[in-house]
Amino acid sequence: MNNTTPVPPLRAGPCAIVIFGASGDLTKRKLLPSLYNLAAIGMLPEDFSIIGVARRELSHEEFRAQMTGAIGEFGTQKIDPQLREQFEKRMYYCQGSFDDPRTYRRLKELLDLSEKEHGTGGNALFYLSVQPTYFGEIPSRLKAQGLVEESKGRWRRVIIEKPFGHDLESARQVNLAISAALAESQIFRIDHYLGKETAQNILIFRMGNGMFEPIWNRRYIDHVQITVAESIGVEGRGAFYETAGAFRDVMQNHMFMLLALVAMEPPNSFSGEAVRNEKVKLLEAMRLLSPEAVARDTVRGQYGPGQVDGKAVAGYRQEVNVNPNSTVETFAAMKLWVDNWRWAGVPFYLRSGKRLPRRSTEIVVRFKNAPLDIFGENESDPVGPNRLIFHIQPEEGISFQVRAKIPGPTIRTRGVKMDFDYCQFGDVAPTTGYEKLLYDCMVGDSTLFHRTDMVEAAWKVAQPIIDGWAAHPPVDFPNYAPGEWGPPAAQVLISRDEHTWWVEPKTHL
């Protein structure tokens, strides 16, 4: 008889969690609620402390009040007063500028205090929720104060938020600055998309099921689509978006890494380095687009003013802190190729944008048609091919679209779905998506984090596109209305290959 009793989670070892930029929204909305969730399920260390570092003048008591308030306001689980009180007692605040050596001396004192009072064992996780200009400086100053030294069995690790540069050269410079202060084993470049359950499930699903791995190649897969769609606009982030755009903000990092999960070769183990080695190989196998291919196989868009649900919405150029003549893209679509034995000839279509019809992140693996379509005249709907769909957000799950006969005396077929969602595991408490990533850093599992060579390999693929777009600024912006699936050119891009973008039907009649 199989034992189906779940294995209890392994609690992380003692450590102090230091958050640079602790007064920001990320700390309140994601990091503190995530740490609370880990504690609630028994995965946060029993011996821990939380130290916030920011410029704002706050006392320990004021910081504790703000952070416990944030857990109550933004938490995803019911709050246990006793657990919240435990959090409150273990929080400290370090006021100071990130470029001031005195800040790091005060931080060292608080780390020594938390080790003495809370048994953190000298271990520390530093989370850099700061502007990218500090990515090199903070590790350098931590090193100068001896705060990243690993000795006597203690560990020191640093989590870095994106963006990891804005082009290949800047990414290399950031990596050089970080690597001058930290060993690669201490660097955890975070990608919150990879913390989502379904993103983590991609490898398990395709490599842990004997029916899928044999057909996961060019012989059986026609093409792959990856969509990251947002129904909102830039939501007050105009200043940031003017420096990034849709390609740098979402596609070059999140979407390239999702593509790597879908297309990488099976690793020889599920260790962090083995998985990351295969991701690098995949990224290095992606074709670098020529200037002609950039012009032919990439599309840019920018939303204009219009109406959504009967309400007037501003165009991108009318958003706060946006140049009224901006040529920054709020939509991007492209066709990419992986030039290796498994994927030769299989196109990968990517699209991402703001002010699209709905919020949705999906990966669609479209299988090839049967050799002979003997049921073509009997289909009651036009949805013919088999599709495996990974729903990453907002709802998470996996569905497999197949053909089946409609009950009745005649042969009529229709597309049906075999669905998996997480309710099949019983009641699952909602999460922020950061829990897994924070926990992995505490236990030293680097599988879901970007390594230096991964970052640079992704930028190598992106650089020809950036250069091509810079050489030929768009002349038709704005070119799509709010609530549309991007500009018409995005449909032309995929229809040239006799494909269409997959959009999940709202109803299935």
Side-chain angles (χ1 to χ4, degrees):
M1 187 179 207
N2 290 333
N3 183 6
T4 58
T5 303
V7 177
L10 176 67
R11 189 184 292 274
C15 71
I17 300 141
V18 180
I19 303 173
F20 284 86
S23 60
D25 274 356
L26 181 66
T27 302
K28 297 172 184 175
R29 294 177 178 271
K30 299 294 184 182
L31 302 185
L32 261 296
S34 298
L35 292 170
Y36 179 88
N37 289 348
L38 286 173
I41 59 176
M43 296 177 71
L44 195 71
E46 291 183 334
D47 301 314
F48 75 95
S49 67
I50 298 172
I51 302 173
V53 184
R55 298 183 186 87
R56 191 175 302 172
E57 290 279 357
L58 289 174
S59 66
H60 294 313
E61 290 73 21
E62 289 170 326
F63 178 69
R64 289 165 181 159
Q66 286 187 10
M67 293 302 106
T68 53
I71 293 172
E73 182 178 359
F74 300 111
T76 61
Q77 300 186 24
K78 185 178 180 180
I79 303 302
D80 178 344
Q82 187 174 358
L83 184 56
R84 183 167 61 180
E85 182 181 353
Q86 182 185 7
F87 261 68
E88 189 170 9
K89 290 178 179 178
R90 293 170 178 267
M91 291 184 190
Y92 300 90
Y93 185 71
C94 178
Q95 187 277 328
S97 298
F98 304 145
D99 55 1
D100 186 348
R102 294 173 296 180
T103 303
Y104 299 86
R105 288 196 288 269
R106 288 193 289 269
L107 176 58
K108 186 176 187 303
E109 292 172 359
L110 287 174
L111 283 168
D112 291 341
L113 177 65
S114 66
E115 182 177 0
K116 180 180 177 181
E117 293 193 351
H118 302 296
T120 57
N123 302 318
L125 182 163
F126 301 96
Y127 197 113
L128 273 53
S129 177
V130 298
Q131 293 294 322
T133 51
Y134 292 109
F135 285 175
E137 179 156 16
I138 291 175
S140 176
R141 293 191 179 276
L142 288 171
K143 181 179 180 180
Q145 197 62 39
L147 294 176
V148 291
E149 180 184 342
E150 295 185 314
S151 61
K152 299 178 181 178
R154 74 180 185 183
W155 56 260
R156 299 290 169 102
R157 300 174 187 135
V158 179
I159 294 182
I160 300 172
E161 279 274 356
K162 76 172 186 76
F164 313 122
H166 58 85
D167 57 15
L168 178 57
E169 181 56 32
S170 62
R172 284 172 171 162
Q173 293 303 316
V174 171
N175 283 336
L176 283 172
I178 296 170
S179 298
L182 304 168
E184 184 65 44
S185 61
Q186 294 178 288
I187 306 169
F188 287 71
R189 298 174 185 85
I190 197 168
D191 183 341
H192 67 272
Y193 268 64
L194 301 189
K196 297 182 183 299
E197 286 291 348
T198 304
Q200 297 172 53
N201 230 330
I202 293 172
L203 291 185
I204 307 298
F205 197 86
R206 54 167 284 209
M207 297 176 188
N209 293 292
M211 65 179 292
F212 284 111
E213 183 53 32
I215 62 173
W216 208 261
N217 56 57
R218 58 185 170 82
R219 294 183 179 179
Y220 301 99
I221 292 177
D222 183 87
H223 70 272
V224 177
Q225 297 180 26
I226 304 177
T227 295
V228 176
E230 293 283 353
S231 59
I232 59 174
V234 294
E235 300 295 293
R237 299 170 69 230
F240 162 76
Y241 219 76
E242 281 288 279
T243 66
F247 182 65
R248 287 182 173 94
D249 183 38
V250 173
M251 195 168 282
Q252 179 276 333
N253 41 67
H254 302 315
M255 297 182 73
F256 279 16
M257 295 306 167
L258 289 175
L259 190 158
L261 285 175
V262 171
M264 62 181 271
E265 292 296 315
N268 56 17
S269 76
F270 208 58
S271 69
E273 290 311 296
V275 172
R276 298 203 294 183
N277 287 342
E278 297 303 331
K279 287 182 183 178
V280 171
K281 291 178 186 176
L282 187 284
L283 292 167
E284 290 177 341
M286 290 177 67
R287 184 182 303 175
L288 304 184
L289 298 187
S290 66
E292 295 76 19
V294 171
R296 181 184 64 247
D297 294 337
T298 71
V299 172
R300 284 172 286 177
Q302 185 189 91
Y303 65 85
Q307 288 197 337
V308 175
D309 296 329
K311 296 180 181 179
V313 297
Y316 175 71
R317 292 179 175 181
Q318 289 77 53
E319 300 278 9
V320 178
N321 295 322
V322 169
N323 183 336
N325 299 307
S326 176
T327 57
V328 170
E329 79 283 355
T330 61
F331 176 94
M334 58 193 60
K335 178 168 68 172
L336 300 175
W337 303 91
V338 176
D339 291 331
N340 63 14
W341 196 265
R342 182 183 291 264
W343 297 109
V346 177
F348 289 77
Y349 300 97
L350 278 61
R351 64 173 173 169
S352 177
K354 299 282 190 183
R355 287 288 182 210
L356 302 185
R358 62 178 184 243
R359 179 178 180 235
S360 175
T361 297
E362 292 178 333
I363 300 170
V364 181
V365 180
R366 199 274 213 185
F367 292 90
K368 291 184 177 180
N369 292 340
L372 182 63
D373 186 10
I374 61 175
F375 300 111
E377 296 181 357
N378 305 102
E379 292 184 354
S380 64
D381 65 45
V383 186
N386 300 136
R387 290 181 173 92
L388 179 64
I389 305 169
F390 296 92
H391 307 277
I392 295 175
Q393 69 177 12
E395 289 82 22
E396 297 191 67
I398 303 170
S399 59
F400 190 33
Q401 179 184 287
V402 298
R403 305 301 296 173
K405 177 185 176 295
I406 299 172
T410 60
I411 300 295
R412 295 174 62 238
T413 69
R414 191 179 75 181
V416 296
K417 289 197 304 180
M418 301 178 184
D419 282 333
F420 156 77
D421 62 45
Y422 290 90
C423 69
Q424 293 181 32
F425 291 110
D427 291 334
V428 179
T431 67
T432 68
Y434 277 74
E435 290 86 355
K436 168 69 172 170
L437 298 167
L438 288 167
Y439 173 79
D440 281 359
C441 185
M442 284 185 272
V443 299
D445 185 346
S446 59
T447 305
L448 298 178
F449 296 86
H450 303 337
R451 204 167 61 191
T452 297
D453 51 355
M454 288 172 59
V455 172
E456 295 186 11
W459 276 116
K460 286 178 184 177
V461 179
Q463 194 63 52
I465 299 169
I466 293 170
D467 293 342
W469 286 0
H472 301 283
V475 295
D476 61 345
F477 280 5
N479 59 3
Y480 71 96
E484 295 180 351
W485 284 105
Q491 303 300 327
V492 174
L493 168 69
I494 197 167
S495 63
R496 283 201 306 258
D497 300 330
E498 299 183 352
H499 302 315
T500 59
W501 292 108
W502 170 255
V503 177
E504 187 76 18
K506 292 183 178 179
T507 59
H508 200 129
L509 301 177

